[in-house]
Amino acid sequence: MPRLAPLSGFPEWSPSQRIVEAQLIASLREVFALHGFAEIDTRAVEPVARLAGDSDAAKEIYTLARLRGVDKAGGEREEASLGLHFDLTVPFARYVEERQGELDFPFRRYQVQKVWRGERPQDGRYREFYQADIDIVGRDQLPAHAESEVAIVMAKALAALTASVGAPQARMRCNDRRLVEGFYAGVGISDVASALRAVDKLPKIGADAVKRELGTLEVPAQAADAVVALAGIAAQGAALGDAARSAWHVHGAHGEQARELFDSGLVALMSLVDAVNAELPGTATGDLSIARGLDYYTGAVYETVLEGHEDLGSICSGGRYDSLVAGGGFPGVGMSIGVSRLVSRLLTTGTASASRSVPSAVLVAVVDEHTRAASNLVANALRVRGIPCEVAPTAAKFGKQIQFADRRGIPFVWFPGELGDQVKDIRSGEQVDADAAVWMPPAADLWPTVVRG
Amino acid sequence: MPRLAPLSGFPEWSPSQRIVEAQLIASLREVFALHGFAEIDTRAVEPVARLAGDSDAAKEIYTLARLRGVDKAGGEREEASLGLHFDLTVPFARYVEERQGELDFPFRRYQVQKVWRGERPQDGRYREFYQADIDIVGRDQLPAHAESEVAIVMAKALAALTASVGAPQARMRCNDRRLVEGFYAGVGISDVASALRAVDKLPKIGADAVKRELGTLEVPAQAADAVVALAGIAAQGAALGDAARSAWHVHGAHGEQARELFDSGLVALMSLVDAVNAELPGTATGDLSIARGLDYYTGAVYETVLEGHEDLGSICSGGRYDSLVAGGGFPGVGMSIGVSRLVSRLLTTGTASASRSVPSAVLVAVVDEHTRAASNLVANALRVRGIPCEVAPTAAKFGKQIQFADRRGIPFVWFPGELGDQVKDIRSGEQVDADAAVWMPPAADLWPTVVRG
């Protein structure tokens, strides 16, 4: 047998930690469903040719092989070409393409599943982790308001986590590809993608280094100053529009086409930021430094950080794209939460923990093995009324049975008695007469809850 | 891009089919949790050395490799030795071994996850599928009543599926290793495992062929008659004990040790069958033909078939084992439901289908794009009261918007109006004045339900 040390990059939680993760996922699912998103669940594998289309991800793909014993009917060939999905977008795109004749568009879907990436594990970066995605995809067109809608649903889903599992407040930073591309064109930069890769390093290497790198790309110093200045803008409401338009003028951007593109992006971005903040005040900022994903996204682009945990990077990102599938058509907008990264941070910082390690609100004590059936009856009477409980495994002394409950955080111990039952709150020690057909624990004790801090 | 045909053995469902699967899983989880089982979620991969311990399964293991780009730090070596789990027992055993110092025993856990097996796909046999397992594991000992408890919880979980998703009634067939081993020893069979493999073929090849095969194993004809006769016993209550004891005598079984083993198994089996039937009358039968798993299990062994779907084979199996881990200790008992096999049968036979394809109970119509904000307000007022809804994607003619709802099975369309709102039940055509702050759909329409037949 191999060593038992945990595998780096493959997180697993204790039973009580899993309660936090499960409640977080349940909370997300509820918000998505309340907003009319339908769930899909896709297979874990895709043809490697489909996965490897994105060259950055290709080196992280886990491919499958059979240990031994291969189908006669060419099974090996088929399986040798399969890999584990590294995100939920590739399988979603394939699902939509495969079922385009039967799905109704715009198609609003959510998906919460594990994904696998063979990257070097580090804090908050895993090889196996849960993602939670929402997307709205049209067949041939998708109204602009979908860009606000997806951001609002995700902002609400994250806000709900603050209530359900004590997650820190989320701050959404938004940008728009058209705004950036229009501005870059306006100041005379033609290779927008390369320039964006340089600007993307701004938080890490600082403005001077970015300008030097832009210089190596033959971006004129004036234009480099301009795009670094643009990236310095982070604002909401009218201030966002003022700052962006001022940057256009101050840096001498020009050109009718460029200006039109810039304006269309700015109007869309302001509308997006306003729409999110109208529902969740102060949540969204127009942050013109966001460059990640602008090579792929064609409109809105989103990143989300948790207050006080900015070092974790974005825990929820996405954007608007022209076509979900390679053949064109199917424009959409989507965002993805890195669930495991978020859960891990909540757990390891002690921000969230479960009130107990088992579902049971009640341990039904066993007086002696001959009366175990009576204890089972009590447990069943509680369960039919929705009260999770378990029966003591042995007829140990009551002190031992109370210890059994205490170690697991079970708040109540039930004592069946010939002359009537009693139930004890083992936290307060209070013990009262009780009838299994009517007694209810306080609502807060019924199921395990997630405790903050 | 590779062809888009679905991959054989990797089932995926439409959004409305996924509703059935998700409700089935939610129903199982609820029953498990009500009985105090704690959920764990393990990583999808295990070291191959650990997976391949079971020689039968080894040829079905999917191993992982990286497409390209390997860690300098020996990443390749580590990953080359990983495979996808083919059941939830191997990871559970490793989890318990790894965390034995922090878990509380007896440890009651449930687990609902996908597993992967590279076997030839056929009806009800998949390469990727969901399993739902429960186990109770002790540290050094486990009381016998755990064998009844696991069977009862699974029987209740399956009975709940009849209510929640219209699953056919489950019939549990139980046997006991000690009974069989004692009987076989009593009639003079020493190689019990080989004899059991022959008897396991009884339903497929018939009694005569089994006896011939036993003959090749040098089992005397009398003993072969005896074990085939034993395998013919299927009964409940006192009849089970009568039939088994009668077989002992009629076939001249003898030997004190053998008899003790036989009796201990029979008493345990009768107690198990009675306990299940006391809670769910008629559900369990003592079926002495069950031979599968008796090489591994040491006490109770269970199989479960769905009424009218016996051809599907067992959809929920398990048993009692002496030690979960290789090193000894950790006796336990567990059962596993083949969730995907069950879901597939419900869906493909039309036994269960969802009442709609989206969560939304209400489509909020949009009068024109300038008043979309008013429609959003209605939707939010409904959502805060727990009513799932979505807002129409475009301000199309109302007829079109009603069609949009109808295609998805959304029962209600909401029309915001300057002088007051109205809501239409598009099934009956009834349209009434409504206030988004107080209106509620009938409870049966709030969330998608699973419709039978």
Side-chain angles (χ1 to χ4, degrees), chain A residues 35-195:
Chain A
H35 289 79
F37 286 77
E39 190 186 28
I40 68 167
D41 184 277
T42 57
R43 62 187 194 225
V45 302
E46 296 294 332
V48 167
R50 196 164 267 275
L51 291 167
D54 177 335
S55 57
D56 269 356
K59 64 179 181 295
E60 299 176 353
I61 294 171
Y62 283 113
T63 57
L64 298 191
R66 286 268 288 285
L67 188 57
R68 62 169 194 265
V70 166
D71 288 356
K72 294 280 170 11
E76 190 185 30
R77 249 201 327 281
E78 183 190 17
E79 288 164 21
S81 67
L82 296 178
L84 295 174
H85 57 221
F86 55 80
D87 71 9
L88 300 178
T89 300
V90 172
F92 175 53
R94 192 257 318 146
Y95 184 95
V96 167
E97 199 174 346
E98 202 172 292
R99 291 173 184 260
Q100 55 185 285
E102 64 179 86
L103 293 173
D104 294 309
F105 295 92
F107 179 44
R108 305 151 62 84
R109 87 87 171 75
Y110 79 85
Q111 195 167 352
V112 185
Q113 287 183 244
K114 282 182 176 173
V115 305
W116 293 268
R117 292 182 188 177
E119 63 181 332
R120 183 183 295 275
Q122 46 184 299
D123 182 39
R125 295 250 171 213
Y126 295 118
R127 293 181 159 186
E128 171 176 308
F129 56 100
Y130 277 105
Q131 281 194 330
D133 281 28
I134 61 170
D135 281 85
I136 305 177
V137 174
R139 182 182 276 281
D140 300 311
Q141 55 191 20
L142 188 73
H145 59 73
E147 295 176 41
S148 303
E149 184 173 0
V150 160
I152 289 167
V153 173
M154 272 303 193
K156 283 187 181 177
L158 293 168
L161 294 186
T162 302
S164 63
V165 298
Q169 285 214 291
R171 299 289 173 212
M172 199 173 282
R173 303 157 57 218
C174 310
N175 199 355
D176 190 288
R177 157 80 172 266
R178 292 156 294 186
L179 185 163
V180 171
E181 199 173 319
F183 187 90
Y184 279 40
V187 298
I189 296 174
S190 52
D191 183 357
V192 174
S194 298

Side-chain angles (χ1 to χ4, degrees), chain B residues 117-306:
Chain B
R117 292 183 189 177
E119 63 181 333
R120 182 184 294 276
Q122 45 186 299
D123 182 40
R125 295 249 170 215
Y126 295 119
R127 292 181 162 187
E128 171 176 308
F129 56 100
Y130 277 105
Q131 280 193 331
D133 282 27
I134 61 171
D135 281 85
I136 306 177
V137 174
R139 181 181 276 281
D140 299 311
Q141 56 190 25
L142 189 73
H145 59 74
E147 294 176 39
S148 302
E149 183 172 0
V150 160
I152 290 168
V153 174
M154 272 303 192
K156 283 187 180 177
L158 293 167
L161 295 186
T162 302
S164 63
V165 299
Q169 284 213 293
R171 299 290 173 212
M172 198 173 283
R173 301 156 59 217
C174 310
N175 200 355
D176 191 287
R177 158 78 173 266
R178 292 156 294 185
L179 185 164
V180 172
E181 200 174 318
F183 188 90
Y184 279 40
V187 297
I189 296 174
S190 51
D191 184 356
V192 175
S194 299
L196 280 170
R197 271 195 293 276
V199 172
D200 189 33
K201 298 176 187 164
L202 197 53
K204 274 195 186 159
I205 64 176
D208 289 343
V210 167
K211 287 180 190 173
R212 275 195 300 275
E213 189 164 329
L214 288 168
T216 68
L217 296 169
E218 296 180 11
V219 171
Q222 263 193 318
D225 287 346
V227 299
V228 168
L230 186 78
I233 296 172
Q236 306 175 330
L240 172 60
D242 294 344
R245 288 193 193 98
S246 162
W248 177 274
H249 291 296
V250 167
H251 293 281
H254 59 277
E256 198 177 332
Q257 265 194 312
R259 178 66 197 233
E260 270 176 24
L261 195 58
F262 172 81
D263 277 342
S264 68
L266 180 57
V267 167
L269 180 61
M270 292 176 68
S271 157
L272 164 63
V273 170
D274 287 351
V276 175
N277 289 335
E279 297 229 17
L280 297 124
T283 297
T285 301
D287 185 330
L288 307 191
S289 72
I290 297 178
R292 186 87 33 105
L294 283 188
D295 49 340
Y296 172 64
Y297 295 122
T298 55
V301 56
Y302 323 92
E303 292 192 350
T304 315
V305 293
L306 294 182

Side-chain angles (χ1 to χ4, degrees), chain B residues 15-27:
Chain B
S16 69
Q17 289 175 322
R18 169 60 184 168
I19 289 171
V20 175
E21 181 177 66
Q23 292 202 4
L24 185 147
I25 289 173
S27 176

